[in-house]
DNA sequence: TCTCTCACG
DNA sequence: ACGTACGTGAGAGAC
């Protein structure tokens, strides 16, 4: 179609060069920092391992093997198991299940801690230094441009789009991502609430649009609407619930999952969802509309006309159909955000080349761009990047906000 | 090579 | 009664 042709000519084709630039540029990683951190983690892991062995009264068990952990907890220690097993008949021992047992059983807490540290060490702290290219001294990821069904990029070998950030210890990893030399800094620019803003635009929901236009904290504003209180009266708990609801909406989640997520009764989750849609009627209409359109046409589209075909949208299986309906709701939102940042990347890369800047784009993490910037260029580039990101898609009904920071490493810049 | 688990947006 | 949130990539163990 015309729109798809335009998407290819103006976005997908030109971004190939941008991605090639990022890949060949690479990122500098400080291997000494990671090696030192690895030793710290190793010591903690060994201590935890000894503690677990002592508590369990056995040493012949591999703590990295989920099957052996399941045996230990639910057969040898006879902790009651009240969940569904995995499809291979094992006891599932994932975070969600072990968390519920952690309060009662110290050993479970320790196993979770052990897992967290072992994951951090093997997947990131030990792996990243090994990925340094001996010729360039830098780490070069590969981006998949045409894999993710929404239009997002994905990153592999190594994946630099899932570097830890949510926990204190995980975040440390980001200190190893550093500028090329003392004359440079890292600059990170990220969209604020981009998917929620885009769903406001796409749906045209007046309440959500107005909340963004007022510039209020969106989760607080949502809480005020849903719980029927003034902005100033929103409690932390209410804000947290509203944030989770906002997040869930983008995925088309139901009351069951929301209740699990919030640790509340299903009936309460149902009430929150009903209150939410009573306020955000345009959002509700959008969700129903996009599903209906998907049923008719067999595909959904993003703002730039990207298509995702949904072969199971008319499935006779209710479960299969429901899955596809959630995809129909989420894809236009996630995919439009992908469209938007791709356009911004093309414009920024052009500006860098045309302006003769020494700065280089080095990472894209879905709603964030990271640059290696000569200190002398920071002030000039900040507004160029910010404007390019904000104005990537013309005619949006919502204001777009971009946060920019700089620092001596990725953690500081973020 | 598959399964389980878990890291990110 | 069943299943139960969107999109990814990778390490370790089991087979």
């Amino acid at each position: 179609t015309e729109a798809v042709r335009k998407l290819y000519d103006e976005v997908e084709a030109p971004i190939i060069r941008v991605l090639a630039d990022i890949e060949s540029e690479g990122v500098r990683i400080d291997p000494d920092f990671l090696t030192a951190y690895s030793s710290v983690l190793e010591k903690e892991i060994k201590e935890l391992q000894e503690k677990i062995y002592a508590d369990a009264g056995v040493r012949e068990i591999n703590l990295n093997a989920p099957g052996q952990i399941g045996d230990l907890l639910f057969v040898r220690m006879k902790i009651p198991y009240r969940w569904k097993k995995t499809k291979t008949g094992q006891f599932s021992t994932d975070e969600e299940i072990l968390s519920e047992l952690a309060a009662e059983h110290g050993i479970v807490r320790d196993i979770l801690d052990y897992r967290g540290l072992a994951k951090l060490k093997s997947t990131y702290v030990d792996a990243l230094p090994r990925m340094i290219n001996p010729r360039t001294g830098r780490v070069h990821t590969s981006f998949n441009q045409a894999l993710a069904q929404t239009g997002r990029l994905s990153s592999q070998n190594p994946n630099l789009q899932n570097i830890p950030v949510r926990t204190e210890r995980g975040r440390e990893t980001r200190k190893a991502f550093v500028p090329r030399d003392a004359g440079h800094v890292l600059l990170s620019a990220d969209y604020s609430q981009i998917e929620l803003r885009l769903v406001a635009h796409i749906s045209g929901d007046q309440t959500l649009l107005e909340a963004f236009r007022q510039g209020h904290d969106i989760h607080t504003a949502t809480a005020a609407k849903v719980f029927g209180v003034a902005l100033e009266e929103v409690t932390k708990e209410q804000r947290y619930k509203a944030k989770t609801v906002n997040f869930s909406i983008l995925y088309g989640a139901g009351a069951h999952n929301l209740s699990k997520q919030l640790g509340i009764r299903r009936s309460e989750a149902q009430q929150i969802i009903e209150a939410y849609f009573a306020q955000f009627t345009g959002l509700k209409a959008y969700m129903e509309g996009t599903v209906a359109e998907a049923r008719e046409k067999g595909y959904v589209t993003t703002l730039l006309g990207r298509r995702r075909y949904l072969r199971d949208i008319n499935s006779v299986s209710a479960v299969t159909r429901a899955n596809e309906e959630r995809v129909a709701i989420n894809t236009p939102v996630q995919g439009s955000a992908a469209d938007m940042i791709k356009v911004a990347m093309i414009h920024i890369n052009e500006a860098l080349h045309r302006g003769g800047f020494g700065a280089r784009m080095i990472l894209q993490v879905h709603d964030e761009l990271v640059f290696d910037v000569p200190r002398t260029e920071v002030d000039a580039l900040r507004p160029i990047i910010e404007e390019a990101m904000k104005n990537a898609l013309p005619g949006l009904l919502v204001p777009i906000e971009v946060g920019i920071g700089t620092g001596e490493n990725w953690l500081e810049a973020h």
Side-chain angles (χ1 to χ4, degrees):
Chain A
T1 67
E2 199 179 320
V4 172
R5 179 78 219 180
K6 193 167 149 74
L7 176 71
Y8 176 79
D9 288 339
E10 296 178 14
V11 180
E12 294 302 334
I15 207 172
I16 293 172
R17 174 60 196 271
V18 181
L19 298 180
D21 283 353
I22 297 175
E23 290 184 6
S24 49
E25 186 63 29
V27 186
R28 182 173 172 217
I29 303 272
D30 180 353
D32 297 335
F33 177 87
L34 290 175
T35 306
Y37 192 34
S38 177
S39 306
V40 172
L41 291 176
E42 179 159 15
K43 186 157 165 281
E44 291 193 48
I45 287 167
K46 278 195 176 137
E47 284 169 9
L48 268 175
Q49 187 177 347
E50 285 308 319
K51 185 151 175 269
I52 293 165
Y53 282 159
D55 276 5
V58 263
R59 309 187 59 85
E60 306 75 32
I61 172 177
N62 186 338
L63 301 180
N64 299 315
Q68 296 187 35
I69 293 290
D71 263 8
L72 172 68
L73 296 179
F74 306 116
V75 179
R76 290 204 217 189
M77 294 183 57
K78 299 189 165 60
I79 296 175
Y81 189 86
R82 48 197 182 77
W83 294 275
K84 206 177 73 74
K85 299 185 178 183
T86 67
K87 36 183 151 166
T88 51
Q90 283 191 71
F91 298 102
S92 177
T93 65
D94 64 20
E95 214 268 337
E96 187 186 343
I97 287 168
L98 293 196
S99 292
E100 290 199 36
L101 300 169
E104 223 178 317
H105 305 274
I107 191 172
V108 175
R109 182 74 256 159
D110 290 334
I111 289 169
L112 280 170
D113 286 347
Y114 173 93
R115 276 223 185 119
L117 296 180
K119 169 91 174 179
L120 182 59
K121 182 171 184 289
S122 67
T123 307
Y124 302 100
V125 178
D126 289 347
L128 282 171
R130 290 199 298 263
M131 298 301 295
I132 296 175
N133 182 308
R135 192 169 60 77
T136 65
R138 299 166 71 86
V139 172
H140 304 264
T141 187
S142 297
F143 287 108
N144 295 304
Q145 188 186 350
L147 185 149
Q149 299 301 298
T150 54
R152 273 190 176 183
L153 301 176
S154 80
S155 156
Q156 66 184 136
N157 258 317
N159 182 352
L160 295 183
Q161 290 182 321
N162 74 343
I163 303 301
V165 70
R166 291 173 189 172
T167 66
E168 181 83 41
R169 281 162 156 161
R171 263 197 294 281
E172 282 294 299
T173 314
R174 296 193 171 216
K175 292 186 181 170
F177 288 71
V178 292
R180 71 188 55 235
D181 61 34
H184 288 68
V185 291
L186 291 191
L187 183 152
S188 159
D190 70 304
Y191 284 114
S192 158
Q193 300 297 342
I194 190 61
E195 292 194 0
L196 224 38
R197 287 177 199 270
L198 288 176
V199 82
H201 169 84
I202 293 168
S203 67
D205 184 282
Q206 288 302 322
T207 309
L208 196 54
L209 285 173
E210 189 56 25
F212 277 122
R213 287 170 182 160
Q214 296 288 337
H216 294 137
D217 175 277
I218 191 61
H219 303 308
T220 304
T222 303
K225 293 284 182 198
V226 170
F227 298 110
V229 298
L231 276 178
E232 312 77 47
E233 284 162 15
V234 170
T235 64
K236 277 194 174 159
E237 163 122 5
Q238 287 173 327
R239 183 185 185 276
Y240 173 73
K241 285 182 177 171
K243 182 177 178 179
T244 306
V245 176
N246 276 332
F247 196 60
S248 307
I249 291 305
L250 298 173
Y251 300 151
H256 177 83
N257 256 283
L258 185 63
S259 72
K260 246 187 354 190
Q261 201 70 36
L262 290 173
I264 59 180
R265 280 191 304 276
R266 190 171 165 156
S267 53
E268 190 185 342
Q270 186 60 46
Q271 282 176 4
I272 292 177
I273 289 176
E274 281 169 18
Y276 186 95
F277 283 125
Q279 292 293 323
F280 300 99
T281 50
L283 222 39
K284 187 176 168 66
Y286 158 70
M287 292 169 66
E288 290 166 356
T290 189
V291 168
E293 188 181 336
R295 279 203 193 105
E296 262 176 52
K297 298 183 175 167
Y299 61 85
V300 290
T301 59
T302 66
L303 285 179
L304 294 190
R306 186 188 306 280
R307 284 188 186 187
R308 179 171 185 175
Y309 284 87
L310 303 171
R311 290 170 193 79
D312 290 329
I313 193 73
N314 290 310
S315 167
V316 290
S317 155
V319 172
T320 304
R321 209 168 54 238
N323 286 338
E324 201 80 316
E325 287 172 2
R326 291 193 297 274
V327 172
I329 290 167
N330 178 262
T331 293
V333 181
Q334 188 180 123
S336 295
D339 292 349
M340 186 167 184
I341 197 167
K342 280 178 172 175
V343 171
M345 290 167 74
I346 293 164
H347 291 165
I348 292 169
N349 210 46
E350 268 173 21
L352 292 183
H353 281 112
R354 243 183 321 141
F357 288 101
R360 293 291 180 264
M361 200 183 300
I362 57 173
L363 288 175
Q364 189 256 43
V365 193
H366 310 305
D367 64 356
E368 174 187 15
L369 298 174
V370 183
F371 302 84
D372 196 354
V373 184
R375 291 176 188 274
T376 54
E377 294 180 4
V378 169
D379 290 342
L381 274 180
R382 205 185 275 266
I384 293 176
I385 292 168
E386 184 174 341
E387 291 308 307
M389 289 174 75
K390 281 186 178 175
N391 301 325
L393 299 184
L396 291 183
L397 304 173
V398 272
I400 299 295
E401 286 185 14
V402 173
I404 296 192
T406 59
E408 302 305 316
N409 59 59
W410 194 5
L411 184 59
E412 272 186 23
H414 204 271

